[in-house]
Amino acid sequence: MKRILFSFFWLATLSVNVFSQERFTIHADFPDDSNSGHVIYISKRILPYEGLYETIDSVTLSGTHFYYEGQLKGEPFLGVIGFDRTAPYRNNTNFVAEPGEIRVIVSEWEKAGTVSGTRLNDDYQTHISDFQIRMNEIVQPLINERKAKLQARNWTTDDEAEYGRRLPKDLQSQAVRSEGEFMKKYLDFPEVLTPLLWTYMNREFNPFEHVIDRLPEVYQKRLYAHQARMNRGVEELRKSPGYDPTLHEPVEIIPENLKPGEPFVDFTGKAPDGQQKLLSEIIPDKKLILLDFWASWCGPCIKEMPLIAGLHEKYKDQGLVVIGISSDTDEQKWMRAIDQNRMEWLQFISVKGKERIGTLYSVKFIPYTVIIDGDGTILARNLRGEELVARIDALMAR
């Protein structure tokens, strides 16, 4: 009988412990009571094409403080605290919903608050939020100036170059490294990491490709599905009435030595068989060279492959050399994508320890193409789709 009573007591204690472990509280303080009476939403951050935010609950701010108590029904997730749309204060504060007491302090209405109190929140603040706050202080005025001049139609390529020079590149690099440290430490929390990872999709170099590879498959599929939807959305926007590329398309700043009319920049590429070759060894006796920058994880790149394959097949015996240049860091994924997509033309990946080929050609996003003449002169950059086909057809007909 005593053993039965003890077992019951142990189970009851275990139930209470598990219940308490799932509980989280948020204590938040604000600088004054000017937003008292407004509704504050506690939301879960999801991917933009999934809705961006999923509302969990809401509270009404009374004075300068609010207290919220919730139950974590699954694993920790990245959340956000934000006011309703009628409130003059709009800045959101990110936090990690995990068991424990979470403390939020908003010292200025126009800035996100600081979060502390639990392990993930302490680290998120140190590794990510602190850098975001510092970056916003520098970058937001530049963004506002750029947006205003773009709308006024008086933003020039010189302005864009100056904008690029004024961006805090060292701080950006530090922020990426710090974010990487956070991701490495918390690989077991995909609901926290997934909303952070989507912003790096489609860049020529994704510094967190290895993180995505280690996520459970369901999260990888979410990210790649979101990437595909994001690119479809961009294509639909471009076709919509009143679309203005001046406002929506990034202004590409091409270094002087990489503009059409300049000589090609040589590089060493590594082929799937491990052999390394210089571009300068390929160009002689060729009529035209097409550099196609892509990656196995880039949906739009893979979508373009039938078009690239068509150009290769049409002109491979007439002097056109297509060279695929992958941004992949995982060589197995790279070679698997080559096989799966029947990419029978020359393929290179950057050689470890040397400058990335994409960096050498100032490629920021993929897919991206560079056309080089047989004499080594750069003829065109960043052509895609039918525009690329038309240019290759015209050049091969010379």
Side-chain angles (χ1 to χ4, degrees), residues 3-23:
R3 181 174 295 176
I4 294 173
L5 287 173
F6 176 79
S7 299
F8 177 80
F9 176 77
W10 181 82
L11 286 170
T13 304
L14 177 63
S15 299
V16 170
N17 286 340
V18 170
F19 182 84
S20 63
Q21 286 174 359
E22 294 178 345
R23 175 176 170 269

Side-chain angles (χ1 to χ4, degrees), residues 12 20 48 62 132 134 244 360 377:
S20 63
S62 177
Q132 289 175 341
R134 290 165 62 192
D244 187 348
L360 287 171
T377 303

